[in-house]
């Protein structure tokens, strides 16, 4: 505009402006006052004099000066002069922003807003400056009228690029404020290309769901994204995942199926089919469809491994594949087949990551080749990496090891994946147990780099394939020795050296099909000192169960309930007079309950003998409520782990079916290490026989309960201190073996 050129030319070679820039406001003010005296018709002198007053904090004087400058003009003149003044203020605001003088820039832009309240570009700047100054942006979004303007302005009047730069800053600054949703909705009309908005939404929703635990809030933003891109697979994947987290299983399945139907790229097909499986298995009761999907899943994975592309990088496409075999162990107890496919897939993933991150991998391996630090001279540095060092099964079970670690010989580090800000008390406890703790969010290459910089000697993975990003970190091998312990099972990642086990949880032949070297501790691969138990909130009369009835119980996620074991459960209930079956499942109430009711009817058991329980507020209350139970019926192909230990600690007889894979031998090993063999079944018939025997023989139940409680003082399962000694011996032997080989 002509006015802008006039303002610009006035500023150049102007002694007053030079003084203003140097911060000599007194000299600048004198210059402009003299100019106004000699050249009162040059309005720009008024605009700059007012600016000088404003920069000195004299707002009243600034506004008075500008009003005097406007005083003798007609409406048309005032309009032109307002544009000139606006440009003067805009130039100075931009200069201050460049200098990172945010408070002054913010104050100047408030005056620009008074001159032109509908200047949406200026409002963008005001909001961004408010973020820099840590102000109440949520309130400003409404009070400044920005959202209303976005809803009213034609798309052509809004700077799309500036909007795309500002939106993620707002979402990051006030992620849970209600105004962020209405702002995002108002932005939709001003972003013509959905592909510009989708990456912003995806980062925000994953952070919101997994770092802040707000899945329902994240879903609202994905729904906005689906308005402009209803067939975007990444949005459908995200919403499917979040629906599963909040137990909206039907919606999770539908979204995953739609995503699956839209893609042809093989890695995406595998991931989307995995998401469908997740929905089906989480809900429970969809067993036939899940088995069909598993067959399709195996076919897709085999096809990928046959093609073996090596250009997938280390991004989402490759990381998502690590847990593609997660549900195989729930469907079948075939460890050779399951583990070998998992090993091949993990090797494929690691190959792609090593190609994409070749520089980091070489640097990490170089340290491994050149290290010569002797164990005798310094403490061993043990790093533990997990997203479960919190109120989680792994978090409860790992406490003893952290508590009893010998700090004279070992220096502990923790790499905690998940929310950087949390009030989880158990996570806080872990942080206090280690020399250094890092809360790394969802993590990236910087996590592996930190492990490398910390010179960790032995890195212990507690996640296995339950978290893909952990597999990615381990594949880079930032530590010379890497170990998996306590997680779901071994991951098969080639960069992991050892898998911690014991004489029971894996059969003797397991090394034939494990990628990792199996390191067997002498008695048990896990031990704790016990569980905290709260005050019960449940009584038999509340469930309409007679006092003299025999109460069987199963409390597992929908993943673990399959028809084979459920039929055995119902056969036991049928054969034990006056018995009831309490099912505490985490899944779809409709599908899972229907699943058990249908099988009960098939076995001739009146569904009135079944009771379905929801979850309770705390783990302590859950354990206390087990007091109403006489016998726990474990699941197979996937046993309980924490639930088994809770059962044994509470002194309740357990019937457990032993299989071949890690997940079907947990209860067996734990029962042995708790000092009992009663209830261990090696066949379906033995499982049935033990269930009936324990249900009908009250004296046997009492004897087992007495023995379990007595063994709390002597059994290996309840001796975390001795277990820690054995783990530390293993670490030292691993390290010595490493030194000997290098």
């Amino acid at each position: 505009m002509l006015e802008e050129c006039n303002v610009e030319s006035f500023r150049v070679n102007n002694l007053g402006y030079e003084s203003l820039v140097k911060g000599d406001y007194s000299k600048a003010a004198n210059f402009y006052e003299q100019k106004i005296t000699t050249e009162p018709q040059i309005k720009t002198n008024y605009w700059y004099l007012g600016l000088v007053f404003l920069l000195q904090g004299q707002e009243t004087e600034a506004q008075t000066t500008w009003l005097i400058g406007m005083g003798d003009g007609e409406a048309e003149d005032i309009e032109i002069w307002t544009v000139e003044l606006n440009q003067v203020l805009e130039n100075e605001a931009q200069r201050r922003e460049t200098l990172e003088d945010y408070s002054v820039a913010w104050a100047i832009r408030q005056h620009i807003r008074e001159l032109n309240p509908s200047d949406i570009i200026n409002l963008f700047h005001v909001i961004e400056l408010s973020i820099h100054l840590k102000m109440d942006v949520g309130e400003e979004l409404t009070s400044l009228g920005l959202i209303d303007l976005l809803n009213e302005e034609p798309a052509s009047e809004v700077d799309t690029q500036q909007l795309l730069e500002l939106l993620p800053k707002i979402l990051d600054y006030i992620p849970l404020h209600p105004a962020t949703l209405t702002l995002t909705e108002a932005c939709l009309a001003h972003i013509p290309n959905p592909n510009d908005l989708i990456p912003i939404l995806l980062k925000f929703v994953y952070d919101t769901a997994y770092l802040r635990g707000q899945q329902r809030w994240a879903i609202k933003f994905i729904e906005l994204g689906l308005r402009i891109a209803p067939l975007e697979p990444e949005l459908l994947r995200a919403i499917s995942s979040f629906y599963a987290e909040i137990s909206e299983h039907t919606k999770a399945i539908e979204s995953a199926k739609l995503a699956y139907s839209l893609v042809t790229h093989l890695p995406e097909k595998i991931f989307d089919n995995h998401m469908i499986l997740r929905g089906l298995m989480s809900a429970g009761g969809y067993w036939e469809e899940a088995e069909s999907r598993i067959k399709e899943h195996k076919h897709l994975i085999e096809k990928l491994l046959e093609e073996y592309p090596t250009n997938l990088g280390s991004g989402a496409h490759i990381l998502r594949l690590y847990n593609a075999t997660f549900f195989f162990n729930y469907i079948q107890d075939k460890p050779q087949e399951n583990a070998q496919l998992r090993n091949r897939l993990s090797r494929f993933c690691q190959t792609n990551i090593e190609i994409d991150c070749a520089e980091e991998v070489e640097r990490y391996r170089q340290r491994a080749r050149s290290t010569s630090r002797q164990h005798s001279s310094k403490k061993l540095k043990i790093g533990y990496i997990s997203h479960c060092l919190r109120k989680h099964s792994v978090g409860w079970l790992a406490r003893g090891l952290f508590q009893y670690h010998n700090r004279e010989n070992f220096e502990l580090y923790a790499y905690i994946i998940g929310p950087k800000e949390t009030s989880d008390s158990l996570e806080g406890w872990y942080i206090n147990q280690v020399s250094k703790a890092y809360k790394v969010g969802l993590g990236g290459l910087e996590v592996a780099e930190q492990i490398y910089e910390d010179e960790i000697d032995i890195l212990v993975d507690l996640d296995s394939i339950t978290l893909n990003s952990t597999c990615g970190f381990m594949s880079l091998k930032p530590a010379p020795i890497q170990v998996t312990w306590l997680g779901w099972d071994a991951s098969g990642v080639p960069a992991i050296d050892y898998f911690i086990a014991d004489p029971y949880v894996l059969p003797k032949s397991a090394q034939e099909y494990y990628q990792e070297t199996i390191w067997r501790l002498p008695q048990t691969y896990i031990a704790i000192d016990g569980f905290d138990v709260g005050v019960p909130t449940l009584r038999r009369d509340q469930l309409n169960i007679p006092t003299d009835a025999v109460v069987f119980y199963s409390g597992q996620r929908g993943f673990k309930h399959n028809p084979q074991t459920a039929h055995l459960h119902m056969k036991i209930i049928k054969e034990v007079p006056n018995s009831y079956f309490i099912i505490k499942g985490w899944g779809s109430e409709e599908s899972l309950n229907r699943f058990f009711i249908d099988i009960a009817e098939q076995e001739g058991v009146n569904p009135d003998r079944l009771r379905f329980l929801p979850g309770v507020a705390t783990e302590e209350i859950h354990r206390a409520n087990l007091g109403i139970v006489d016998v726990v019926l474990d699941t197979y192909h996937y046993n309980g782990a924490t639930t088994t230990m809770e059962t044994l600690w509470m002194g309740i007889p357990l019937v457990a079916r032993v299989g071949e894979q890690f997940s079907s031998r947990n209860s067996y090993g734990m029962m042995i290490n708790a000092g009992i063999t009663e209830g261990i079944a090696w066949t379906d018939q033995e499982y049935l026989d033990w269930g009936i025997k324990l249900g009908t023989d009250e004296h046997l139940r009492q004897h087992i309960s007495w023995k379990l409680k007595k063994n709390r003082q002597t059994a290996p399962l309840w001796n975390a201190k001795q277990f820690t000694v054995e783990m530390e011996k293993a670490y030292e032997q691993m390290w010595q073996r490493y030194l000997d080989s290098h």
Side-chain angles (χ1 to χ4, degrees):
M1 294 177 62
L2 178 60
E3 293 79 5
E4 293 175 2
C5 294
N6 290 338
V7 167
E8 183 64 25
S9 61
F10 184 88
R11 187 172 54 165
V12 175
N13 299 321
N14 185 306
L15 292 176
Y17 185 73
E18 291 177 9
S19 299
L20 182 154
V21 170
K22 293 176 181 177
D24 191 345
Y25 299 132
S26 177
K27 186 175 181 179
N30 288 334
F31 175 86
Y32 288 121
E33 286 171 348
Q34 292 175 12
K35 282 289 186 180
I36 289 172
T37 300
T38 59
E39 299 176 320
Q41 75 281 7
I42 305 299
K43 298 297 183 179
T44 317
N45 290 311
Y46 293 91
W47 315 152
Y48 275 102
L49 178 59
L51 174 60
V52 172
F53 287 139
L54 180 61
L55 294 176
Q56 295 179 92
Q58 298 172 284
E59 291 197 29
T60 301
E61 289 81 353
Q63 291 176 331
T64 300
T65 301
W66 294 331
L67 286 173
I68 292 172
M70 302 276 185
D72 58 352
E74 301 292 336
E76 184 178 345
D77 296 325
I78 291 174
E79 184 177 345
I80 294 172
W81 295 339
T82 300
V83 172
E84 286 185 352
L85 173 57
N86 191 89
Q87 188 61 42
V88 168
L89 296 177
E90 176 66 32
N91 290 340
E92 183 62 15
Q94 290 181 17
R95 189 177 76 86
R96 294 289 174 166
E97 289 163 3
T98 302
L99 296 172
E100 299 184 359
D101 191 353
Y102 299 127
S103 58
V104 173
W106 184 88
I108 294 171
R109 289 198 175 280
Q110 293 302 318
H111 287 277
I112 296 175
R113 183 170 70 87
E114 291 180 10
L115 292 170
N116 186 2
S118 62
D119 183 349
I120 200 167
I121 302 302
N122 181 61
L123 295 181
F124 285 168
H125 284 289
V126 170
I127 295 297
E128 185 166 1
L129 289 165
S130 297
I131 292 172
H132 281 297
L133 296 169
K134 303 188 183 306
M135 299 172 70
D136 187 354
V137 171
E139 177 62 29
E140 279 193 330
L141 288 174
T142 303
S143 64
L144 295 178
L146 177 60
I147 295 173
D148 291 338
L149 283 170
L150 285 170
N151 285 326
E152 296 166 3
E153 287 285 339
S156 59
E157 298 297 320
V158 176
D159 186 333
T160 299
Q161 187 57 42
Q162 190 177 12
L163 183 60
L164 289 168
E165 291 173 2
L166 179 62
L167 180 59
K169 295 176 183 177
I170 296 172
L171 294 176
D172 185 60
Y173 184 64
I174 49 168
L176 304 182
H177 195 285
T180 58
L181 185 65
T182 53
L183 173 69
T184 305
E185 184 175 17
C187 290
L188 298 183
H190 302 283
I191 302 176
N193 185 355
N195 291 331
D196 291 332
L197 179 62
I198 288 169
I200 296 172
L201 285 180
L202 287 172
K203 181 185 184 305
F204 173 72
V205 297
Y206 280 116
D207 286 351
T208 298
Y210 294 126
L211 298 187
R212 304 179 184 105
Q214 298 290 330
Q215 284 83 4
R216 294 183 187 277
W217 187 237
I219 286 170
K220 291 180 182 295
F221 285 83
I222 303 176
E223 288 172 344
L224 292 180
L226 289 171
R227 283 194 202 173
I228 58 174
L231 300 180
E232 170 51 51
E234 287 295 347
L235 292 175
L236 293 168
R237 290 165 188 145
I239 204 168
S240 174
S241 179
F242 304 153
Y243 278 140
E245 295 284 343
I246 64 172
S247 299
E248 294 275 359
H249 301 292
T250 300
K251 291 180 179 179
I253 295 167
E254 291 172 351
S255 300
K257 285 183 175 179
L258 179 54
Y260 181 81
S261 71
L262 295 171
V263 298
T264 57
H265 189 218
L266 200 49
E268 291 183 289
K269 296 289 283 186
I270 292 171
F271 179 70
D272 292 336
N273 199 53
H274 170 77
M275 293 300 294
I276 297 170
L277 273 167
R278 181 188 181 188
L280 296 170
M281 297 293 287
S282 297
Y286 292 99
W287 200 256
E288 289 185 9
E289 187 175 354
E291 286 185 316
S292 174
R293 284 284 172 182
I294 281 285
K295 291 178 182 177
E296 171 68 8
H297 212 51
K298 183 178 179 181
H299 168 73
L300 292 171
I301 293 171
E302 290 286 3
K303 186 177 180 182
L304 177 69
L305 294 176
E306 182 180 332
E307 295 179 2
Y308 217 87
T310 56
N311 59 350
L312 297 181
S314 60
H317 286 318
I318 193 65
L319 288 176
R320 287 169 174 169
L321 294 173
Y322 274 109
N323 70 356
T325 61
F326 181 82
F327 293 108
F328 282 57
N329 286 18
Y330 294 89
I331 296 286
Q332 59 184 23
D333 181 20
K334 296 181 178 179
Q336 294 93 334
E337 181 180 318
N338 292 346
Q340 287 173 3
L341 184 60
R342 187 165 67 246
N343 294 343
R344 291 167 58 206
L345 186 58
S346 292
R347 190 177 305 116
F348 166 77
C349 292
Q350 179 168 311
T351 297
N352 273 269
I353 285 179
E354 287 180 339
I355 291 171
D356 191 62
C357 303
E359 181 180 338
E360 289 83 0
V361 169
E362 176 57 29
R363 188 153 43 86
Y364 300 160
R365 301 295 196 274
Q366 187 63 37
R367 184 213 163 197
R369 288 192 292 267
S370 63
T371 185
S372 59
R373 182 165 57 85
Q374 295 299 310
H375 173 210
S376 58
S377 62
K378 292 185 179 180
K379 296 179 182 179
L380 267 182
K381 290 186 175 182
I382 311 296
Y384 291 93
I385 183 168
S386 179
H387 74 297
C388 300
L389 295 177
R390 54 185 170 83
K391 291 181 180 178
H392 179 280
S393 293
V394 169
W396 296 118
L397 299 185
R399 286 180 298 176
L401 177 61
F402 279 72
Q403 179 180 351
Y404 293 117
H405 251 308
N406 182 343
R407 268 62 176 184
E408 292 183 4
N409 297 333
F410 299 90
E411 187 174 352
L412 307 186
Y413 292 69
Y415 303 89
I416 300 171
I417 303 169
K420 292 186 177 182
E421 296 181 11
T422 178
S423 58
D424 190 296
S425 58
L426 186 54
E427 182 184 277
W429 181 88
Y430 275 107
I431 290 172
N432 290 330
Q433 300 302 309
V434 300
S435 298
K436 288 186 180 179
Y438 302 90
K439 298 177 72 172
V440 299
L442 295 179
L445 279 175
E446 70 277 3
V447 179
E449 187 65 21
Q450 187 63 61
I451 293 167
Y452 170 75
E453 292 292 335
D454 288 337
E455 296 187 328
I456 296 301
D457 297 314
I458 301 176
L459 181 62
V460 185
D461 150 42
L462 283 74
D463 291 339
S464 185
I465 64 171
T466 62
L467 193 68
N468 292 330
S469 57
T470 303
C471 294
F473 305 144
M474 302 300 284
S475 290
L476 293 169
K477 202 168 177 84
I481 300 174
Q482 301 195 149
V483 180
T484 293
W485 169 64
L486 192 59
W488 170 91
D489 195 342
S491 65
V493 171
I496 297 178
D497 303 286
Y498 299 104
F499 179 60
I500 302 291
D502 61 32
Y504 311 102
V505 78
L506 289 177
K508 293 180 180 179
S509 61
Q511 191 60 72
E512 297 174 8
Y513 47 85
Y514 268 73
Q515 163 73 39
E516 304 84 346
T517 297
I518 298 171
W519 193 289
R520 295 183 192 262
L521 300 180
Q523 292 178 304
T524 177
Y525 83 94
I526 180 62
I528 62 173
D529 288 335
F531 289 100
D532 297 328
V533 180
V535 178
T537 60
L538 194 63
R539 294 166 50 90
R540 289 193 177 199
D541 55 6
Q542 292 174 301
L543 300 176
N544 196 25
I545 295 177
T547 304
D548 61 346
V550 176
V551 175
F552 291 91
Y553 171 84
S554 179
Q556 301 291 350
R557 299 188 68 178
F559 293 176
K560 298 185 180 182
H561 294 294
N562 65 63
Q564 176 184 341
T565 309
H567 276 283
L568 294 176
H569 291 166
M570 298 308 164
K571 291 178 186 292
I572 292 168
I573 302 303
K574 184 177 182 180
E575 294 299 321
V576 177
N578 194 28
S579 65
Y580 291 78
F581 189 26
I582 295 177
I583 302 154
K584 185 179 179 182
W586 287 265
S588 166
E589 182 176 336
E590 179 181 354
S591 64
L592 192 59
N593 292 9
R594 186 72 255 168
F595 168 80
F596 279 107
I597 290 170
D598 286 347
I599 291 177
E601 291 174 343
Q602 292 171 31
E603 293 293 344
V605 174
N606 190 329
D608 289 342
R609 296 170 69 181
L610 308 183
R611 300 289 186 272
F612 299 97
L613 291 185
V616 292
T618 68
E619 293 84 355
E620 292 82 0
I621 293 173
H622 155 71
R623 295 171 198 132
N625 286 344
L626 291 176
I628 70 170
V629 175
D630 293 303
V631 181
V632 170
L633 300 177
D634 197 14
T635 47
Y636 171 84
H637 312 296
Y638 205 113
N639 296 164
T642 305
T643 53
T644 292
M645 295 181 75
E646 289 172 330
T647 297
L648 298 172
W649 180 255
M650 296 301 295
I652 303 170
L654 174 73
V655 182
R657 171 74 160 84
V658 187
E660 290 297 310
Q661 63 191 4
F662 177 86
S663 57
S664 65
R665 298 173 70 90
N666 258 310
S667 293
Y668 159 56
M670 290 170 179
M671 292 169 77
I672 293 291
N673 281 295
I676 63 168
T677 57
E678 297 90 340
I680 296 174
W682 294 88
T683 65
D684 285 355
Q685 187 59 50
E686 286 186 19
Y687 187 95
L688 186 62
D689 292 343
W690 270 118
I692 295 170
K693 187 173 184 179
L694 289 171
T696 55
D697 190 337
E698 183 177 1
H699 292 295
L700 178 59
R701 295 199 303 270
Q702 291 173 347
H703 172 71
I704 294 170
S705 182
W706 170 83
K707 188 157 60 168
L708 284 170
K709 291 176 180 178
K710 176 175 174 289
N711 290 349
R712 285 180 177 181
Q713 304 302 316
T714 58
L717 193 64
W718 313 123
N719 191 342
K721 192 170 186 178
Q722 181 57 38
F723 165 75
T724 302
V725 170
E726 299 299 340
M727 282 286 280
E728 290 178 341
K729 285 181 182 177
Y731 290 157
E732 291 187 338
Q733 290 169 7
M734 291 174 189
W735 183 248
Q736 190 58 53
R737 182 181 294 184
Y738 170 77
L739 291 178
D740 291 344
S741 65
H742 287 73

